[in-house]
Amino acid sequence: MPGYFHGIPAIRYEGPGSTNEFAFRHYNPDEVVMGKRMEEHLRFAVAYWHSFAYQGGDPFGGQTLQRPWFADTMAAAKAKADAAFELFDILGVPFYCFHDADVRPEGATFAESKRNLDEIVDYFAQKQGQHKAKLLWGTSNLFSHRRWMSGAATNPDPDVYAYAAATVKANLDATHKLGGQNYVLWGGREGYETLLNTDLSAERAHAGRFLQQVVDYKHKIGFAGTILIEPKPQEPSKHQYDYDVATVYGFLKDFGLENEVKVNIEQGHAILAGHSFEHEIATAASLGIFGSIDMNRNDYQSGWDTDQFPNNHAEKALAFYEILRAGGYTTGGTNFDAKIRRQSLDAEDLVLAHVGGMDTCARALKSAAALLESGELEAARAARYAGWTTPAAKAMLAGGLEAAAARVAAEGLEPEPKSGRQERLENLWNRYV
């Protein structure tokens, strides 16, 4: 609804000393960091599903939030879009992201749902022509409706597979029409609850073929964006096939897609998989499949994905260090896959949650960039592996076990352990954050 955020000013950068809560203290979009504007480094996006579709429910309670657009009508969908672009303007973000189910009412049939989507996409196109924010990525909700209870691409019913294919086609078309820079596939139900009724081989084969078909269609329509998979180990399924980055890479290799598909990595999902955020980013970068991130945090005392806004810049600096070290984003960005708490009822709460998250990320980026530019950590890393640059080490890798064994005998090697100097490097890190 136009004017939902009435009275809330556009957020401007005022510097670290500002006491104005409706101001950025660290995020200055025009500040140059490592030769690039901060806005271009961070590429912030607002998540439509959490900011505008979330009603305040949790696993133990229902709706707490009241929004004037909460209704299953096209008029409400357009009012939601009006409020969304109003928020995008207040924050000055360059991007947003959405699922199909976030932006249009569910129809009685697939054809009706698609008509609703097509109508709202046309409305978004008008909005994008009048506002700064553009589409970072689109995706399909293939997990909420009861039809997806046994999966989408991995469903034992081929009719559900067909419905999933039609849904993704419609949303890839929508993303393409809006100039989206990526398309994300998150398989919330692409997994199993029990092996007693599951054919793992069949489900994996169908998931692989589905992704091949998505890539084929991307090229057919000339979509220049990146196809992304978002890993998650569990929740809602007991076990999901896209468990973590390494698992996804093995899947992509198996189906010949490692040069076609990258990953969208979420902080909360990394934690659920038993990893750190920076581990997943570094793994993806080392395998050549890093694409984008969903920025949030988990409550470490809760056992599920709480999707909170980030507020710890030192923790996030580790992630941004790996992103910068990998060369930064290309088509990806920093999407706030985060929701306000169910007790945070006011429009101001939604704005300030993003302000705090954007400042946290900006402060983290600056810390990470300063350390990377200093070269201190990279010099220490290079020194630790310097032995591998010698001709003898290179010859050993090129040769066989016999050559390595012969070197031990000829040189009388009796290697002694060398310190990893972890605490020294942690102290170095803390000087920058």
Side-chain angles (χ1 to χ4, degrees), residues 374-413:
S374 79
E376 292 180 83
L377 187 58
E378 295 311 303
R381 194 195 312 265
R384 189 177 186 214
Y385 290 89
W388 287 98
T389 65
T390 65
K394 292 178 179 179
M396 179 176 65
L397 284 179
L401 286 180
E402 296 91 340
R407 181 177 167 229
V408 171
E411 299 179 24
L413 293 181

Side-chain angles (χ1 to χ4, degrees), residues 266-268 294-298 305 307-308 310 316 337-338:
E266 180 180 318
Q267 157 86 7
D294 275 1
M295 175 58 74
N296 57 26
R297 65 183 167 98
N298 278 3
D305 194 7
D307 289 330
Q308 295 172 249
K316 302 308 177 187
D337 188 358

